[in-house]
Amino acid sequence: MFARLALCSRLPPKIRLTNVCLTSSRTYSQTKFFLPRPHGKSFAHRSELKQAKRIVVKLGSAVVTRGDECGLALGRLASIVEQVAMLQNQGREMMIVTSGAVAFGKQRLRHEILLSQSVRQALHSGQNQLKDISVPVLEARACAAAGQSGLMALYEAMFTQYSICTAQILVTNLDFHDEQKRRNLNSTLHELLRMNIVPIINTNDAVVPPPVPNSDLQGVNVISIKDNDSLAARLAVEMKADLLIALSDVQGLYDSPPGTDDAKLIDIFYPGDQQSITYGTKSRVGIGGMEAKVKAALWALQGGTSVIIANGTDPKVTGHVITDIVDGKKIGTFFSEVKPAGPTVEQQTEMARHAGRTLASLLPEQRGEIICSLAELLTEKKDEILSANRKDMEMATAMGRLAQPLINRLSLSSSKLNSLAIGLRQLAVSSRTSVGRVLRRTRVANNLELEQITVPIGVLLVIFESRPDCLPQVSALAIASGNALLLKGGKEASNTNKILHQLTQEALSIHGVADAIQLVSTREDVEDLCKLDKMIDLIIPRGSSQLVRDIERAAKGIPVLGHSEGVCHVYIDSEASIDKAIDVVRDSKCDYPAACNAMETLLIHRDLLRTPTFDQIIDMLRTEEVKIHAGPRFASYLTFSPSEVKSLRTEYGDLECCIEVVDSMQDAVDHIHKYGSSHTDVIVTENESTAEQFLQQVDSACVFWNASSRFADGYRFGLGAEVGISTARIHARGPVGLEGLLTTKWVLRGEGHTVADFSEQGSMKYLHENIPVHQGTFN
């Protein structure tokens, strides 16, 4: 008989019925609905895996088995069961193809043999001290027979914790040759899935021949399940599964054996790519090896089932590897029949790095020519750019998903493009004193000179939302600083970003470095891009504070240059000029309220309450249609106050602001330090002493006196452009321009010098004499 079914065989009848009932009556909030998918068509992209309804999870021997190859890895198994149960309770149909019976049986039999031998030895010797006991070679089929029931009982006990019932099906490879038995299997599995039961399938190792005759369990080959990969693939295709997840002890498929130099994990594998793979040795357990896994995966893919090979043993990801895969995250190797038209993001990064090194080696004048060419193209192709931008605006408005501040940021105009072009020409001039500039020169000893020079950081990843104008700005800065650049823009600006990137590459091509700046337009999530820690040197998020926080959490070993919320303050001192106060507040709040340097909180000295100065400020804000929220202290002074603010750390990004009352300049400083975001803060006063104290004490990236907070901008600071504003306290701070995208390296020129020459017994002494560095000196 092909299917030997043991349905909840070890559970009492009352519990068994309860489990089936609970599993069958999922609540509406738990259950997801999946659109029917045509059979024979696998998913083309990872993001589509969220729609997988029927999923086969294959647990390889190395995943289920302990490191000593005797017994099961219970912690790993428990986390896998939890993930499968979670997906099952979402309304998906889960099946498990498992190994582990031999390992479990080996553990049990060794224990029994040792116990039996120790008893016999004690009876014969009459002593408590036992001699060394040797364990005889254990036959694999006997181990499987002893471990099969225990393995299934373990699965049942674990799944019971999640109110899920399981069923065991044992097969042999010979059973696949019988058409009737194959139909029986299909019927049995469909009935189990219909009853919300998780089938657990494995080969009947108690009756199959050993993989290698006369091998013992210390060998590599015996503690595996023969054709476990092909079994999972066959079942997945037979059951028309949407997805097969094959868990092993490696991260996925590599282009050469894992652990060797330059071995790279393959993100997506396509049929026909087999010739590019060099396979290594097999796992410590299991006989199939990666080559067998690839063949089985391609067979399943051809049958219409998507496949992912991933690591099920890594303690960092074991607890969520299955759910992450189903969620579309970049884990393991994804097998796809649809090859994208363009390069992968990894290939784009390699292309950018290679071309970026050529860009850095260009003369400063050549990099300046590229930037000037881009500035000219922004003017010449203005109509095409604005046409593409109108498409994005119309689509964003029709979709209704973007808030008004983001709509405002998305919009381009002739004046914006003209300002961009002017800023780029400024940057072209400053780029002539960037890469290779000597910062320090020291004569360490006679004929031994040391230089510290500026060099590019490497490969930058800039992620931006809704702001297509930042694409040429950031590109120009990358060109000026000799950095390679990856750009990931929001899909709401896709048409505008596309044409701006084309113009950027056109400008770069005049010196043959068009690949140095890449626009990432693939389906990779930002979180996936942040995992390219061996390829990307710095991430710069341009967008909301939430985006910055998400990037900082997702970045794996890559520095992030970003800012928190733009909670900018304007403090009106008791000695402020009324005209200056009104002008600064109006411009800070109303000029461009969606900007991160717009005022969000207005601090007013207590002495100004109920004065003409205060009344005129309030009247101006009302005329500008600014919605006012009252801080706790301000609200206490009023009989009828505006709505009290929910948080003093709010970034409104619109025609809204909070007003709060402070007792003094020092009180304003304390408020800013407590509730501010270290972005930009302003004092309006005629008292120079008070202003200087404010400028010195406020610990923000930008601090102004009698000037609008909107001046916090790279172009307005004369930097030509900026990649963003940093509120960090290391590297660059405030508007980050060209200097912020450079790092340094040390160059030492000697004549065979050794450190031993400078020891107590050596013939040389350190001088450490500074050599003057002239402005514009290059290496």
mmCIF file of all heavy atoms in Angstrom, residues 436-451:
data_model
loop_
_atom_site.group_PDB
_atom_site.id
_atom_site.type_symbol
_atom_site.label_atom_id
_atom_site.label_comp_id
_atom_site.label_asym_id
_atom_site.label_seq_id
_atom_site.Cartn_x
_atom_site.Cartn_y
_atom_site.Cartn_z
ATOM 1 N N GLY A 436 41.714 63.776 -3.996
ATOM 2 C CA GLY A 436 43.168 63.872 -4.086
ATOM 3 C C GLY A 436 43.758 65.092 -3.416
ATOM 4 O O GLY A 436 44.959 65.331 -3.501
ATOM 5 N N ARG A 437 42.948 65.876 -2.723
ATOM 6 C CA ARG A 437 43.474 67.070 -2.054
ATOM 7 C C ARG A 437 44.302 66.655 -0.836
ATOM 8 O O ARG A 437 43.887 65.821 -0.038
ATOM 9 C CB ARG A 437 42.313 67.970 -1.632
ATOM 10 C CG ARG A 437 42.738 69.238 -0.917
ATOM 11 C CD ARG A 437 41.625 70.280 -0.953
ATOM 12 N NE ARG A 437 40.365 69.704 -0.510
ATOM 13 C CZ ARG A 437 39.944 69.741 0.755
ATOM 14 N NH1 ARG A 437 40.689 70.308 1.678
ATOM 15 N NH2 ARG A 437 38.776 69.232 1.069
ATOM 16 N N VAL A 438 45.474 67.250 -0.720
ATOM 17 C CA VAL A 438 46.357 66.927 0.398
ATOM 18 C C VAL A 438 45.924 67.721 1.627
ATOM 19 O O VAL A 438 45.886 68.953 1.604
ATOM 20 C CB VAL A 438 47.824 67.237 0.058
ATOM 21 C CG1 VAL A 438 48.721 66.894 1.258
ATOM 22 C CG2 VAL A 438 48.273 66.456 -1.172
ATOM 23 N N LEU A 439 45.579 67.018 2.705
ATOM 24 C CA LEU A 439 45.162 67.665 3.944
ATOM 25 C C LEU A 439 46.328 67.893 4.888
ATOM 26 O O LEU A 439 46.355 68.874 5.640
ATOM 27 C CB LEU A 439 44.106 66.802 4.650
ATOM 28 C CG LEU A 439 42.824 66.510 3.876
ATOM 29 C CD1 LEU A 439 41.934 65.590 4.691
ATOM 30 C CD2 LEU A 439 42.099 67.800 3.542
ATOM 31 N N ARG A 440 47.297 66.983 4.850
ATOM 32 C CA ARG A 440 48.413 67.063 5.795
ATOM 33 C C ARG A 440 49.634 66.419 5.152
ATOM 34 O O ARG A 440 49.530 65.412 4.457
ATOM 35 C CB ARG A 440 48.048 66.324 7.079
ATOM 36 C CG ARG A 440 49.130 66.339 8.149
ATOM 37 C CD ARG A 440 48.686 65.536 9.358
ATOM 38 N NE ARG A 440 47.402 66.015 9.866
ATOM 39 C CZ ARG A 440 46.720 65.404 10.844
ATOM 40 N NH1 ARG A 440 47.177 64.292 11.386
ATOM 41 N NH2 ARG A 440 45.564 65.907 11.244
ATOM 42 N N ARG A 441 50.775 67.043 5.385
ATOM 43 C CA ARG A 441 52.033 66.474 4.883
ATOM 44 C C ARG A 441 53.065 66.541 6.000
ATOM 45 O O ARG A 441 53.257 67.594 6.608
ATOM 46 C CB ARG A 441 52.502 67.234 3.646
ATOM 47 C CG ARG A 441 53.774 66.664 3.030
ATOM 48 C CD ARG A 441 54.103 67.397 1.730
ATOM 49 N NE ARG A 441 53.200 66.997 0.672
ATOM 50 C CZ ARG A 441 53.038 67.691 -0.448
ATOM 51 N NH1 ARG A 441 53.693 68.829 -0.615
ATOM 52 N NH2 ARG A 441 52.229 67.271 -1.386
ATOM 53 N N THR A 442 53.682 65.407 6.273
ATOM 54 C CA THR A 442 54.626 65.318 7.387
ATOM 55 C C THR A 442 55.904 64.622 6.925
ATOM 56 O O THR A 442 55.857 63.602 6.230
ATOM 57 C CB THR A 442 54.020 64.516 8.563
ATOM 58 O OG1 THR A 442 52.781 65.105 8.938
ATOM 59 C CG2 THR A 442 54.962 64.491 9.749
ATOM 60 N N ARG A 443 57.045 65.171 7.330
ATOM 61 C CA ARG A 443 58.320 64.477 7.115
ATOM 62 C C ARG A 443 58.574 63.645 8.367
ATOM 63 O O ARG A 443 58.927 64.172 9.418
ATOM 64 C CB ARG A 443 59.463 65.474 6.867
ATOM 65 C CG ARG A 443 60.798 64.781 6.598
ATOM 66 C CD ARG A 443 61.889 65.782 6.219
ATOM 67 N NE ARG A 443 61.656 66.350 4.885
ATOM 68 C CZ ARG A 443 61.283 67.600 4.674
ATOM 69 N NH1 ARG A 443 61.091 68.428 5.697
ATOM 70 N NH2 ARG A 443 61.092 68.053 3.448
ATOM 71 N N VAL A 444 58.343 62.361 8.264
ATOM 72 C CA VAL A 444 58.485 61.467 9.416
ATOM 73 C C VAL A 444 59.948 61.332 9.794
ATOM 74 O O VAL A 444 60.318 61.321 10.971
ATOM 75 C CB VAL A 444 57.880 60.081 9.099
ATOM 76 C CG1 VAL A 444 58.037 59.139 10.273
ATOM 77 C CG2 VAL A 444 56.409 60.232 8.732
ATOM 78 N N ALA A 445 60.788 61.210 8.791
ATOM 79 C CA ALA A 445 62.236 61.111 8.976
ATOM 80 C C ALA A 445 62.879 61.545 7.669
ATOM 81 O O ALA A 445 62.181 61.892 6.698
ATOM 82 C CB ALA A 445 62.651 59.685 9.353
ATOM 83 N N ASN A 446 64.177 61.529 7.617
ATOM 84 C CA ASN A 446 64.846 61.876 6.366
ATOM 85 C C ASN A 446 64.429 60.912 5.261
ATOM 86 O O ASN A 446 64.460 59.688 5.430
ATOM 87 C CB ASN A 446 66.373 61.830 6.555
ATOM 88 C CG ASN A 446 66.873 62.965 7.438
ATOM 89 O OD1 ASN A 446 66.254 64.037 7.490
ATOM 90 N ND2 ASN A 446 67.992 62.742 8.131
ATOM 91 N N ASN A 447 64.009 61.489 4.130
ATOM 92 C CA ASN A 447 63.582 60.699 2.962
ATOM 93 C C ASN A 447 62.374 59.806 3.243
ATOM 94 O O ASN A 447 62.169 58.799 2.566
ATOM 95 C CB ASN A 447 64.727 59.832 2.427
ATOM 96 C CG ASN A 447 65.918 60.658 1.987
ATOM 97 O OD1 ASN A 447 65.748 61.735 1.411
ATOM 98 N ND2 ASN A 447 67.117 60.184 2.280
ATOM 99 N N LEU A 448 61.575 60.156 4.257
ATOM 100 C CA LEU A 448 60.357 59.399 4.560
ATOM 101 C C LEU A 448 59.221 60.406 4.798
ATOM 102 O O LEU A 448 59.183 61.048 5.837
ATOM 103 C CB LEU A 448 60.551 58.517 5.803
ATOM 104 C CG LEU A 448 59.377 57.597 6.179
ATOM 105 C CD1 LEU A 448 59.124 56.575 5.088
ATOM 106 C CD2 LEU A 448 59.640 56.895 7.509
ATOM 107 N N GLU A 449 58.347 60.563 3.806
ATOM 108 C CA GLU A 449 57.286 61.562 3.875
ATOM 109 C C GLU A 449 55.907 60.903 3.880
ATOM 110 O O GLU A 449 55.670 59.912 3.192
ATOM 111 C CB GLU A 449 57.381 62.529 2.679
ATOM 112 C CG GLU A 449 58.585 63.445 2.764
ATOM 113 C CD GLU A 449 58.528 64.541 1.721
ATOM 114 O OE1 GLU A 449 57.562 64.552 0.926
ATOM 115 O OE2 GLU A 449 59.445 65.387 1.709
ATOM 116 N N LEU A 450 55.019 61.514 4.674
ATOM 117 C CA LEU A 450 53.657 60.999 4.850
ATOM 118 C C LEU A 450 52.661 62.059 4.411
ATOM 119 O O LEU A 450 52.815 63.243 4.744
ATOM 120 C CB LEU A 450 53.425 60.658 6.330
ATOM 121 C CG LEU A 450 52.023 60.165 6.727
ATOM 122 C CD1 LEU A 450 51.745 58.790 6.144
ATOM 123 C CD2 LEU A 450 51.887 60.123 8.252
ATOM 124 N N GLU A 451 51.638 61.636 3.662
ATOM 125 C CA GLU A 451 50.566 62.529 3.230
ATOM 126 C C GLU A 451 49.220 61.945 3.612
ATOM 127 O O GLU A 451 49.025 60.729 3.555
ATOM 128 C CB GLU A 451 50.592 62.734 1.705
ATOM 129 C CG GLU A 451 51.709 63.619 1.207
ATOM 130 C CD GLU A 451 51.637 63.786 -0.309
ATOM 131 O OE1 GLU A 451 50.949 62.972 -0.966
ATOM 132 O OE2 GLU A 451 52.260 64.713 -0.827
#
